[in-house]
């Protein structure tokens, strides 16, 4: 039986969500499976169709709330899996699909609450990972994830509360890291490298409450930080390199275990008034700063420090670089 996706959508999806689909559909000439089973709320599985010519599986199973598992489909030509499994709440396992041709996978697994592990997926050409694993609350480990070509990785792992294991991520083409690891409460270590193109970091590690260590972050292209480390309660060291392009003041708060802070080349103000650091580390911090650029607006040269440190610090180094230290 030749498969007509338009007629299928009209006949089944809109009026009578399926529990099963026929095995004799001919998919062999189908190039797009976009939204094919979207909205089939009772669908639990599909037969192993010939999907060898399909190039897009965009939102293919979106909203298939009852979907539990899938056969190992031929995905060698698929380039787009954006939203493929959005809100497949009961999907508990992903076969080792060949996603080597995939470039777009934004929100691919968003809201897949039962998946505990992602591994064996060939993802070496992916460019867009926005929200890919967002809301995968049971996800514990991701293996073999190649991010070398990824440019968009905002919210990729956001709200993966139980995520404990990530591979090393090469982010050499990533543009920004907005909320990338937001609410990854179980991650103790995040290995990221090559941030040379990152221009903005908003709540990147926000509420990563178990996070203990980060590598040195080279921010040579970064112009803005917005609460990137707030509520990282177990993080002991933050070392940022090449901060001279950061234009706006930022805050680092609720990092109660922080013992070392280095902001190499920074030329704008910042607020660490919630943190109690040892004096020796303040000295190290002040030495790491760049000279404040007077062309910036005047309110940007303030350094806010916890009031308990007043009269205990030698702030002459900071003052010599054009900063004004305020205790509060």
């Amino acid at each position: 039986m030749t498969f007509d996706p338009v007629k299928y959508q009209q006949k089944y999806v809109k009026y009578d969500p399926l529990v099963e689909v026929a095995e004799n559909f001919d998919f062999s000439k189908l190039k797009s499976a976009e939204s094919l089973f979207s909205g089939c709320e009772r669908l639990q599985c599909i037969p192993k169709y010939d999907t060898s010519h399909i190039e897009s599986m965009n939102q293919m199973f979106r909203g298939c709330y009852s979907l539990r598992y899938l056969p190992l489909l031929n995905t060698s030509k698929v380039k787009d899996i954006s939203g493929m499994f959005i809100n497949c709440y009961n999907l508990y396992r992903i076969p080792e699909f060949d996603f080597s041709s995939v470039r777009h996978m934004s929100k691919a697994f968003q809201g897949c609450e039962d998946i505990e592990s992602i591994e064996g997926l060939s993802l070496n050409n992916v460019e867009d990972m926005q929200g890919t694993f967002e809301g995968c609350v049971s996800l514990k480990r991701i293996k073999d994830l190649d991010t070398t070509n990824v440019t968009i990785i905002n919210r990729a792992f956001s709200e993966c509360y139980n995520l404990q294991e990530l591979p090393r991520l090469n982010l050499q083409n990533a543009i920004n890291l907005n909320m990338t690891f937001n609410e990854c409460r179980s991650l103790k270590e995040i290995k990221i490298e090559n941030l040379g193109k990152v221009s903005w970091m908003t709540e990147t590690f926000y509420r990563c409450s178990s996070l203990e260590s980060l590598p040195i972050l080279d921010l040579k292209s970064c112009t803005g930080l917005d609460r990137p480390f707030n509520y990282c309660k177990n993080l002991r060291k933050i070392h940022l390199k090449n901060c001279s392009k950061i234009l706006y003041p930022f805050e680092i708060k609720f990092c109660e275990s922080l013992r070392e802070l280095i902001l190499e080349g920074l030329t704008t103000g910042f607020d660490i008034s919630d943190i109690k650091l040892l004096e020796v580390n303040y000295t190290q911090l002040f030495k790491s700063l760049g000279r404040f650029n007077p062309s910036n607006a005047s309110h940007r040269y303030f350094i806010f420090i916890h009031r308990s440190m007043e009269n205990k610090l030698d702030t002459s180094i900071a003052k010599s670089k054009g900063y004004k230290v305020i205790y509060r």
Side-chain angles (χ1 to χ4, degrees):
M1 182 189 304
T2 302
F3 186 80
D4 186 329
V6 175
K7 289 183 179 179
Y8 172 81
Q9 283 280 328
Q10 291 174 344
K11 183 176 181 180
Y12 294 110
V13 176
K14 291 185 178 180
Y15 303 108
D16 185 20
L18 297 180
V19 176
E20 297 179 351
V21 291
E23 294 188 13
N24 60 341
F25 282 140
D26 182 5
F27 277 53
S28 61
K29 296 181 180 180
L30 196 65
K31 288 190 175 182
S32 175
E34 183 172 339
S35 300
L36 191 58
F37 301 105
S38 180
C40 292
E41 298 178 5
R42 294 183 292 166
L43 183 66
Q44 297 181 12
C45 189
I46 65 169
K48 188 174 182 178
Y49 293 124
D50 178 2
T51 55
S52 58
H53 290 87
I54 292 179
E55 297 180 1
S56 174
M57 291 184 171
N58 188 320
Q59 301 192 50
M60 185 175 180
F61 300 100
R62 179 181 181 132
C64 292
Y65 307 136
S66 302
L67 190 67
R68 294 291 291 161
Y69 61 93
L70 289 169
L72 183 59
L73 302 173
N74 187 334
T75 54
S76 60
K77 292 187 177 180
V78 176
K79 298 177 181 178
D80 188 354
I81 60 169
S82 300
M84 185 175 178
F85 301 105
I86 284 184
N87 295 337
C88 290
Y89 302 131
N90 289 294
L91 185 64
Y92 70 92
R93 185 177 64 85
I94 300 292
E96 295 185 6
F97 289 129
D98 177 4
F99 283 154
S100 58
S101 296
V102 170
R103 293 190 175 185
H104 305 283
M105 60 182 300
S106 65
K107 303 180 181 180
F109 304 98
Q110 188 181 69
C112 292
E113 297 181 352
D114 270 9
I115 293 178
E116 294 188 3
S117 178
I118 300 283
E119 52 189 280
L121 302 182
S122 302
L123 295 169
N124 50 310
N125 285 303
V126 174
E127 298 173 2
D128 182 359
M129 281 186 61
Q130 179 168 320
T132 297
F133 303 102
E134 183 176 8
C136 292
V137 295
S138 298
L139 187 61
K140 294 181 179 179
R141 64 188 61 84
I142 301 174
K143 295 185 177 181
D144 307 318
L145 185 60
D146 188 341
T147 56
T148 305
N149 295 310
V150 173
T151 58
I152 304 173
I153 196 168
N154 300 339
R155 306 184 69 97
F157 311 99
S158 180
E159 298 179 13
C160 291
Y161 302 136
N162 289 291
L163 185 61
Q164 299 172 19
E165 183 181 341
L166 268 178
R168 183 179 298 275
L169 303 179
N170 183 343
L171 301 178
Q172 65 184 31
N173 287 298
I175 297 172
N176 57 52
L177 299 180
N178 294 340
M179 303 180 74
T180 301
F181 305 97
N182 177 51
E183 298 272 9
C184 288
R185 302 174 185 174
S186 301
L187 271 178
K188 292 185 177 182
E189 183 179 20
I190 298 176
K191 300 175 182 178
I192 53 177
E193 59 188 14
N194 299 330
L195 307 184
K197 293 184 179 180
V198 172
S199 62
W200 202 276
M201 293 174 61
T202 297
E203 297 186 359
T204 305
F205 308 101
Y206 191 81
R207 290 191 185 276
C208 289
S209 52
S210 297
L211 186 62
E212 296 176 353
S213 66
L214 280 171
I216 297 173
L217 304 181
D218 190 339
L219 305 182
K220 61 184 178 182
S221 298
C222 189
T223 58
L225 299 176
D226 184 6
R227 298 168 292 174
F229 308 102
N230 284 17
Y231 294 96
C232 291
K233 296 182 178 181
N234 285 291
L235 189 60
R236 298 183 62 84
K237 179 179 179 178
I238 297 173
H239 187 162
L240 308 182
K241 286 178 60 178
N242 295 320
C243 301
S244 60
K245 290 188 177 180
I246 295 175
L247 300 175
Y248 308 100
F250 61 93
E251 66 177 28
I252 299 176
K253 292 191 173 183
F254 310 109
C255 297
E256 55 197 47
S257 299
L258 193 64
R259 293 295 177 267
E260 189 171 358
L261 179 62
I262 301 174
L263 305 172
E264 290 185 30
L266 186 71
T267 59
T268 189
F270 54 95
D271 184 351
I272 53 172
S273 59
D274 185 69
I275 302 170
K276 300 177 183 178
L277 292 175
L278 299 176
E279 183 173 355
V280 62
N281 288 317
Y282 273 112
T283 301
Q284 183 183 41
L285 168 61
F286 295 150
K287 286 183 177 180
S288 72
L289 299 175
R291 184 170 296 278
F292 178 75
N293 185 352
S295 64
N296 288 345
S298 60
H299 69 280
R300 293 180 181 170
Y301 61 64
F302 295 120
I303 299 176
F304 294 99
I305 294 177
H306 194 275
R307 60 184 178 275
S308 66
M309 304 305 294
E310 189 170 6
N311 299 321
K312 296 180 181 179
L313 298 180
D314 179 1
T315 60
S316 59
I317 297 175
K319 291 178 180 178
S320 70
K321 294 183 177 183
Y323 289 93
K324 183 175 182 179
V325 177
I326 297 178
Y327 300 94
R328 67 178 185 184

